[in-house]
């Protein structure tokens, strides 16, 4: 059984690589302007979790989307003679929707040479600058102050993963900062308020939009390192991208875009002049595959190290907690058993992702801010302890009743019998499923990227999207995973064979 | 050494033992015989508290067990003075023979490992198995396993030894090995109670034979009186 499950997993990874390749092929058949007109619908991709003022869920009416880009998409669609339909996607993966689920992406996507190389970029429709934000009581008084370490060591600065703010922060080697990537701005600001972060860097419009909700935060210094937003379309849709450029041009020159930005309190004369005169961003050149792998491999290897660290730090903890829960449920005091059963049911019955969120984002609200790594290890350990406890419960039950009686008849206490006779045998019995679970946990560490821990899958995702080498890096990453999990599979099979041999011998 | 007074036991509504009264003197061997389902094993397991009973009282090796649930501490004290050997051996499969023998003295009495080991080796020698000290139970024959189990019980220096059909799972040759060890123990003055179907053994070693039928003491007395010639 174990062998089959592992086979499925390994096969799964290759299937993922194959899927990526398939997606790239599928992107070649993107819908251009004629298809969109025939369909009567312009599908635009954005992430409603990214937050305001771009696209966000209206707090007054959660079924409705609000944001200046929602209005912009509607105006553009009208210009093209169709209606607009929203398509949800994760922000740093929005371009992957193009040609499949969406015709264009309108979501604060910054113009960069890499994007101009891999996708079609429209003319700019918004100018932004980066604003540093910190708590009002913070000793930070300007972005330049980041150059010297803070009272607690390097400044911990939150950014949106894949954003220009992240690129800028990682580029600034003169800053003494630790950069922490988030999937949503609100999560990032919450953590700043909860003192997990020292500062956050984001587009100025996002900072001012959230100013009321986060009254204890303030902008530090003037905005810097600006740029413009662009609308992305698939590479093979020249007519759609030309039509979008023309439509934007009309909206800019006849003042309708300014009117829109006025409504959202985003416009200034400067903003509109910038948009009218903005120069095109020159596309980046694609480096050779050898260069790419030479550059990416050290990063991937380091993140593979994080994957291993998360696994080996959390699994022993999961085993200890699981064993304690199993023993408690079978032999503990009667009043304790329902609580332990509840512990197992809650942790098995809710997603790991949600548990990690609770540990990382909710605990600070009650004054317990855990570092991301601690929350990740604790979350994995608790989640897996529920599964381990069920395995050990079965293992303890599989030890013949005569063993317990023999131990008791020798004058041992219940706990001595458990400690020296029952548990050691149960541990041997459950070795194969436990090893197999270790492989599953190893793979599940990728969920920790949701709480800012960068492990192998996250590193792959960031690298693949910034370089556009989605398939090549997928294969390298898959090979790294296999190189790590295969030895574990072999170990698990070895345990199983050893156990089978032993039971054959004792029957003989 | 053992006094059982008016013992009654009920399992799932069935009376397994009823008004069982018997006495075992120090240094004697009592065998419990009778048809299957007569209550022999249940009676034996009541003697060291592995099973509870509904009425009556057991006095054994200076301890008293009364009807109903026994407090854990009291049971531990009783079991340190009363050893038990099972039909299925129940050796600890994850430990070598010598570790099976030394485990309880070490963790129950806190005996230093070196002392426990040298005493354990003596006991294995006594049951003829010192060569197999480091063997795992799975590599030993049934007769050898049962002899290790006897050594394991003796390691606690019990005042009473209980044997629950110690040879039923063994072929005649292995049975003989094990019975020789038990007879040897009996000659050394070990007080013991043996549940057995083996009338030959009863004739050879028993001081007293108690026949249990349908949960009651049917007959009790010296082997010559109870076991008619030609019986099994």
């Amino acid at each position: 059984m174990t062998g089959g499950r592992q086979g499925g997993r390994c096969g799964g990874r290759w299937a993922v690589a194959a899927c990526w390749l398939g997606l790239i092929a599928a992107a070649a058949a993107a819908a251009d302007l004629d298809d969109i007109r025939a369909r009567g619908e312009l599908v635009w991709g954005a992430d409603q979790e990214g937050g305001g003022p771009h696209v966000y869920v209206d707090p007054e009416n959660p079924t409705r989307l609000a944001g200046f880009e929602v209005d912009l998409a509607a105006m553009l669609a009208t210009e093209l003679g169709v209606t607009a339909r929203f398509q949800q996607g994760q922000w740093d993966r929005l371009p992957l929707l193009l040609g499949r689920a969406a015709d264009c992406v309108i979501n604060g996507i910054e113009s960069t040479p890499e994007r101009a190389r891999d996708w079609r970029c429209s003319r700019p429709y918004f100018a932004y600058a980066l604003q540093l934000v910190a708590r009002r009581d913070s000793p930070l008084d300007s972005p330049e102050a980041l150059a010297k370490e803070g009272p607690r060591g390097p400044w911990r600065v939150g950014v949106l993963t894949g954003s220009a703010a992240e690129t800028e922060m990682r580029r600034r080697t003169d800053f003494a900062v630790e950069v922490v990537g988030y999937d949503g701005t609100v999560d990032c600001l919450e953590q700043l308020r909860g003192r997990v972060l020292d500062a956050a860097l984001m587009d100025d419009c996002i900072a001012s939009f959230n100013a009321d909700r986060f009254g204890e935060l303030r902008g530090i210094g003037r905005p810097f390192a600006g740029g413009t937003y662009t609308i992305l379309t698939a590479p093979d849709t020249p007519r759609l991208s030309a039509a979008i450029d023309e439509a934007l041009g009309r909206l800019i020159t006849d003042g309708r875009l300014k009117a829109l930005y006025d409504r959202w309190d985003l416009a200034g004369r400067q903003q509109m002049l910038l948009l009218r005169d903005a120069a095109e961003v020159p596309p980046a050149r694609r480096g050779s595959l050898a260069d790419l792998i030479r550059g990416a491999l050290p990063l991937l290897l380091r993140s593979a190290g994080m994957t291993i660290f998360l696994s080996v730090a959390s699994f022993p903890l999961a085993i200890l907690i699981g064993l304690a829960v199993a023993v408690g449920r079978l032999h503990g005091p009667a009043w304790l058993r329902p609580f332990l059963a509840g512990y197992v049911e809650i942790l098995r019955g809710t997603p790991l992702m949600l548990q990690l969120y609770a540990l990382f984002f909710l605990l600070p609200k009650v004054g317990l801010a855990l570092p991301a790594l601690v929350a990740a290890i604790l979350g994995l350990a608790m989640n897996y302890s529920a599964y381990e406890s069920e395995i050990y419960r079965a293992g303890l039950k599989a030890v013949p009743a005569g063993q317990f009686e023999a131990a008791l008849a020798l004058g041992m206490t219940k706990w001595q019998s458990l400690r020296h006779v029952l548990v050691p045998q149960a541990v041997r019995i459950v070795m194969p499923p436990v090893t197999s679970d270790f492989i599953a946990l190893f793979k599940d560490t990728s969920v920790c990227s949701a709480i800012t821990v960068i492990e192998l899958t996250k590193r792959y995702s960031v690298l693949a999207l910034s370089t556009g080498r989605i398939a090549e890096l997928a294969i390298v990453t898959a090979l790294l995973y296999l190189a790590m999990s295969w030895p574990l599979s072999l170990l698990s099979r070895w345990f199983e064979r050893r156990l089978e041999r032993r039971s054959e011998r004792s029957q003989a | 050494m053992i006094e059982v007074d008016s013992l009654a036991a009920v399992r799932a509504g069935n009376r397994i033992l009823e008004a069982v009264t018997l006495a075992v003197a120090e240094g004697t061997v009592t065998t419990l015989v009778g048809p299957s389902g007569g209550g022999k094993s249940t009676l034996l397991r009541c003697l060291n508290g592995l099973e509870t009973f509904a009425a009556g009282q057991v006095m054994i090796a200076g301890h008293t067990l009364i009807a109903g649930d026994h407090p854990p501490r009291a049971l531990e004290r009783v079991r340190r003075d009363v050893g038990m050997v099972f039909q299925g051996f129940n050796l600890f499969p994850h430990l070598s023979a010598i570790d099976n023998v030394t485990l309880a003295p070490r963790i129950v009495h806190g005996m230093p490992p070196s002392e426990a080991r040298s005493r354990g080796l003596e006991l294995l020698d006594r049951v003829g198995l010192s060569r197999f000290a480091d063997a795992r139970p799975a590599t030993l024959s049934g007769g050898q396993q049962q002899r290790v189990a006897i050594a394991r019980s003796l390691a606690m220096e019990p005042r009473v030894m209980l044997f629950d059909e110690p040879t039923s799972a063994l072929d005649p040759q292995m049975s003989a090995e094990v019975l020789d060890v038990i007879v040897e123990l009996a000659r050394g003055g070990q007080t013991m109670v043996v549940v057995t179907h083996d009338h030959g053994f009863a004739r050879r070693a028993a001081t007293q034979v108690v026949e249990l039928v349908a949960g009651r003491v049917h007959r009790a007395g010296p082997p010559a009186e109870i076991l008619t010639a030609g019986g099994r």
Side-chain angles (χ1 to χ4, degrees), chain A residues 225-236:
Chain A
T228 57
Y229 293 162
T230 181
I231 296 174
L232 295 184
T233 48
D236 59 343

Side-chain angles (χ1 to χ4, degrees), chain B residues 102 105-106 109-118:
Chain B
T102 59
R106 279 188 290 118
H109 290 322
M111 188 182 282
S114 55
E115 188 190 342
R117 186 173 169 87
S118 66

Side-chain angles (χ1 to χ4, degrees), chain A residues 453-481:
Chain A
V453 175
I454 297 187
E455 40 58 66
L456 186 51
T457 301
K458 185 65 176 177
R459 177 66 71 191
Y460 157 72
S461 162
V462 170
L463 281 174
L465 291 161
S466 63
T467 62
R469 299 280 202 167
I470 294 168
E472 297 91 328
L473 288 174
I475 290 167
V476 174
T477 307
L479 287 175
L480 281 176
Y481 268 113

Side-chain angles (χ1 to χ4, degrees), chain A residues 117-380:
Chain A
R117 179 191 67 201
D118 295 330
W119 318 99
R120 283 188 181 274
C121 294
S122 75
R123 64 182 289 170
Y125 67 91
F126 188 86
Y128 70 91
L130 298 176
Q131 173 72 55
L132 192 66
V133 176
R135 285 180 302 277
R136 287 188 186 278
D137 59 5
S138 165
L140 266 182
D141 52 5
S142 72
E144 287 70 37
L146 291 174
K148 265 182 67 183
E149 281 196 2
R152 294 191 295 168
W155 303 97
R156 292 173 55 83
V157 180
V159 294
L160 202 58
T161 303
S163 68
E166 182 178 28
T167 315
E168 173 68 11
M169 265 300 149
R170 297 204 189 275
R171 191 178 65 82
R172 291 293 291 261
T173 47
D174 54 324
F175 282 170
V177 294
E178 180 192 336
V179 184
V180 186
Y182 289 83
D183 288 339
T185 311
V186 174
D187 285 342
C188 176
L189 289 171
E190 289 279 6
Q191 295 261 292
L192 177 55
R193 173 152 72 186
R195 298 177 181 275
V196 178
L197 295 173
D198 297 309
L201 188 67
M202 60 193 61
D203 299 0
D204 48 357
C205 60
I206 301 177
S208 45
F209 180 82
N210 286 291
D212 290 341
R213 181 169 166 192
F214 294 90
E216 53 279 79
L217 305 181
R218 68 185 177 101
I220 304 295
R222 297 186 61 76
F224 61 101
T228 57
Y229 293 162
T230 181
I231 296 174
L232 295 184
T233 48
D236 59 343
T237 56
R239 288 170 34 71
L240 174 62
S241 85
I244 288 177
D245 275 349
E246 282 165 30
L248 278 175
R250 286 196 295 278
L251 294 177
I252 290 170
T253 47
D254 67 12
R256 276 183 290 163
L257 193 64
K258 179 162 189 324
L260 168 66
Y261 289 167
D262 279 336
R263 275 208 308 283
W264 286 93
D265 198 15
L266 295 167
R269 195 174 149 62
Q270 194 62 33
Q271 159 93 294
M272 301 321 292
L273 286 175
L274 233 152
L275 292 186
R276 202 182 63 197
D277 303 333
E280 239 177 62
V281 179
R285 286 193 41 232
R286 193 180 283 271
S288 76
L289 186 61
D291 283 344
L292 168 81
I293 291 182
R294 207 172 301 135
L297 204 56
L299 286 171
L300 286 172
L301 282 175
R302 212 164 56 208
S303 306
M306 173 60 86
T307 292
I308 292 175
F309 174 71
L310 286 172
S311 314
V312 300
S314 58
F315 200 62
L317 211 55
I319 285 182
L320 284 179
I321 302 172
L323 193 54
V325 170
V327 169
R329 284 185 75 180
L330 287 173
H331 300 286
W335 59 265
L336 184 64
R337 295 181 195 185
F339 289 100
L340 295 176
Y343 173 87
V344 170
E345 290 312 324
I346 288 171
L347 285 168
R348 272 200 318 182
T350 57
L352 173 58
M353 172 90 93
L354 200 65
Q355 294 161 16
L356 289 174
Y357 257 79
L359 281 175
F360 190 57
F361 292 111
L362 298 185
L363 281 187
K365 288 194 193 291
V366 295
L368 188 64
L370 296 177
L373 209 53
V374 174
I377 290 169
L378 202 63
L380 284 169

Side-chain angles (χ1 to χ4, degrees), chain A residues 402-403 405-413 416 420-421 424-425 428 505-506, chain B residues 45 48 76 79-80 82 86 90-94 103-104 107-108 138 152 156:
Chain A
Q403 291 291 313
E405 288 188 346
L408 292 176
L410 285 164
M412 296 187 207
T413 65
Q416 286 171 335
H420 295 281
V421 176
Q425 294 186 52
R428 282 170 175 78
R505 230 177 18 216
S506 57
Chain B
R45 292 161 62 85
N48 71 345
E76 286 150 23
R79 288 165 181 165
R80 281 166 205 180
V82 179
F86 300 86
N90 296 356
L91 287 184
F92 305 136
H94 61 298
L103 180 68
I107 66 172
V108 176
R152 177 174 72 174
M156 291 296 283

Side-chain angles (χ1 to χ4, degrees), chain A residues 26-78:
Chain A
D32 207 348
L33 190 58
D34 310 317
D35 309 305
I36 291 165
R37 289 222 164 108
R39 192 197 310 147
E41 221 176 33
L42 176 71
V43 183
W44 62 289
D47 186 359
Q48 53 188 341
E49 260 184 71
H54 304 81
V55 179
Y56 60 100
V57 174
D58 187 347
E60 318 256 287
N61 176 6
T63 60
R64 195 180 147 266
L65 278 184
F68 76 89
E69 288 175 337
V70 177
D71 297 346
L72 177 62
M75 284 162 69
L76 275 177
T78 311

